[in-house]
């Protein structure tokens, strides 16, 4: 009888202990949303999967598109913790610390002290399989564009970084984009993936895209633009001040710029800077 009474007394204690253990072992999941340039889709998807395997409480959601589109979505109230742009201009337009000449609307979305230059890409001239139009170089492209015939070039729209780098190349050459477009020598894409697809499908003679996209699509690169032609292609990254989880967002950015992250970026064609 004494043993039965002792067990009866211990039962509530054991149940309480089991409850506390269960509570202590529960995991609170944190959702992080990353807005990143379309050209980072392959590398960030791989990095995100690896990070979530090692951090079971973190769930990453990626939104890949042109940096201009992503900037507009953030500006219009989209939920976002991290922004990685393919150009400084789009990040500057969200950063109150940027010059008023760039941040003309006085937008304030970048968490101070979190912005840094993550990596560098290259602007390349890529051709479809077999290079049917026999495009050999940027100089070759320039000559055909000057003639207004003999080539169909795919490029990004003027509101996306890859298109803006192409416009810089035109300016370096002293070419009028509007006149070239009017002669039927240019088609456009809303982001670098669309331009890459046009080249991959052979819908155009060549396309100006990023080296990483040419590599992932298995395209032939016939030339690479110099910094003199279009400047450096630097991707800035930052935690946004609208993030509900700034510490976790910063931790993921730190992982991307770690040795493990840099190895993935290099393998997918980027040059890490962070």
């Amino acid at each position: 009888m004494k043993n039965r009474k002792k067990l009866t007394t211990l039962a509530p204690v054991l149940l309480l202990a089991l409850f506390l253990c269960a509570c202590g072992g529960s995991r609170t999941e944190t959702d992080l949303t990353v807005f990143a340039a379309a050209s980072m889709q392959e590398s960030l998807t791989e990095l995100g999967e690896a990070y979530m395997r090692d951090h079971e409480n973190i769930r990453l959601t990626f939104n890949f598109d042109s940096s201009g589109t992503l900037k507009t979505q953030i500006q219009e109230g989209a939920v976002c913790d991290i922004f990685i742009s393919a150009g400084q201009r789009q990040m500057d337009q969200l950063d109150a610390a940027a010059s008023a000449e760039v941040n003309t609307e006085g937008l304030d979305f970048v968490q101070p002290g979190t912005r840094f230059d993550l990596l560098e890409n290259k602007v390349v001239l890529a051709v479809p399989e077999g290079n049917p139009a026999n495009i050999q170089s940027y100089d070759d492209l320039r000559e055909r564009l000057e003639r207004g015939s003999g080539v169909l070039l795919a490029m990004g729209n003027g509101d996306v970084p890859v298109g803006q780098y192409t416009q810089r190349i035109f300016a370096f050459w002293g070419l009028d984009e509007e006149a070239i477009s009017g002669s039927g020598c240019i088609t456009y894409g809303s982001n670098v993936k669309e331009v890459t697809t046009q080249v991959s499908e052979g819908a155009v003679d060549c396309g100006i895209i990023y080296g990483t996209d040419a590599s992932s699509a298995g395209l032939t690169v016939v030339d690479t633009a110099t910094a003199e032609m279009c400047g450096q292609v630097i991707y800035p990254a930052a935690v946004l001040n609208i993030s509900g989880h700034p510490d976790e967002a910063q931790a993921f950015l730190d992982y991307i710029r770690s040795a493990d992250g840099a190895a993935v970026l290099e393998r997918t064609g980027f040059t890490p800077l962070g």
Side-chain angles (χ1 to χ4, degrees), residues 214-248:
S215 177
S216 64
L219 294 174
T220 297
V221 172
V222 296
D223 207 351
T224 300
T226 64
E228 183 182 14
M229 292 170 66
C230 63
Q232 284 185 286
V233 185
I234 305 298
Y235 287 44
V239 175
L240 300 188
N241 58 21
I242 57 175
S243 171
H245 309 283
D247 293 338
E248 291 85 350

Side-chain angles (χ1 to χ4, degrees), residues 13-269:
V13 177
L14 290 172
L15 287 172
L16 178 60
L18 288 171
F19 175 78
L20 291 174
C21 287
C23 290
S26 65
R27 186 176 75 248
T28 301
E29 194 170 76
T30 298
D31 292 320
L32 293 178
T33 301
V34 181
F35 280 27
S39 50
M40 293 201 71
Q41 183 168 346
E42 291 80 13
S43 55
L44 273 186
T45 298
E46 180 177 343
L47 286 169
E49 290 174 352
Y51 191 79
M52 286 188 287
R53 282 196 299 270
D54 293 337
H55 301 77
E56 295 182 355
N57 63 316
I58 299 294
R59 184 172 65 183
L60 292 163
T61 300
F62 294 100
N63 180 18
F64 297 106
D65 209 322
S66 74
S67 300
T69 297
L70 297 176
K71 187 271 297 185
T72 299
Q73 291 174 354
I74 293 169
Q75 182 179 349
E76 292 179 348
V79 174
C80 179
D81 298 283
I82 295 170
F83 181 38
I84 304 177
S85 171
Q88 300 285 7
R89 177 179 175 183
Q90 287 72 24
M91 185 70 80
D92 285 345
Q93 290 172 334
L94 296 176
D95 189 356
S99 69
E101 294 179 0
V102 180
N103 192 343
T104 56
E105 298 180 56
L107 299 179
D108 181 20
F109 285 91
V110 174
Q111 183 70 29
T114 67
R115 179 176 174 174
F116 66 99
D117 291 338
L118 175 62
L119 53 86
E120 181 179 5
N121 209 339
K122 299 295 182 183
V123 176
V124 304
L125 182 61
V127 296
E129 183 178 0
N131 194 5
N134 195 29
I135 306 292
Q136 297 298 319
S137 65
Y138 272 117
D139 287 339
D140 187 9
L141 173 63
R142 175 184 180 179
E143 291 175 4
R144 300 191 193 200
L145 291 175
E146 286 177 335
R147 293 200 309 265
S149 63
V151 68
L152 181 58
L153 167 71
M155 63 174 280
N157 293 335
D159 62 344
V160 303
V162 72
Q164 291 161 1
Y165 290 121
T166 304
Q167 289 176 331
R168 292 180 190 176
I169 292 173
F170 287 168
F172 176 76
W173 286 339
L175 296 181
D176 184 338
E177 178 190 349
E178 186 174 348
I180 297 170
S181 179
S183 68
C185 290
I186 298 177
T187 67
Y188 292 90
S190 62
N191 58 52
V192 70
K193 293 299 183 187
E194 287 190 8
V195 180
T196 302
T197 297
Q198 291 183 48
V199 180
S200 297
E201 294 179 348
V204 294
D205 298 318
C206 59
I208 296 179
I209 58 177
Y210 297 126
T212 51
D213 292 282
S215 177
S216 64
L219 294 174
T220 297
V221 172
V222 296
D223 207 351
T224 300
T226 64
E228 183 182 14
M229 292 170 66
C230 63
Q232 284 185 286
V233 185
I234 305 298
Y235 287 44
V239 175
L240 300 188
N241 58 21
I242 57 175
S243 171
H245 309 283
D247 293 338
E248 291 85 350
Q250 183 63 60
F252 180 60
L253 277 185
D254 290 341
Y255 169 71
I256 296 175
R257 70 196 302 191
S258 70
D260 289 341
V264 172
L265 294 175
E266 287 178 346
R267 181 158 45 75
T268 50

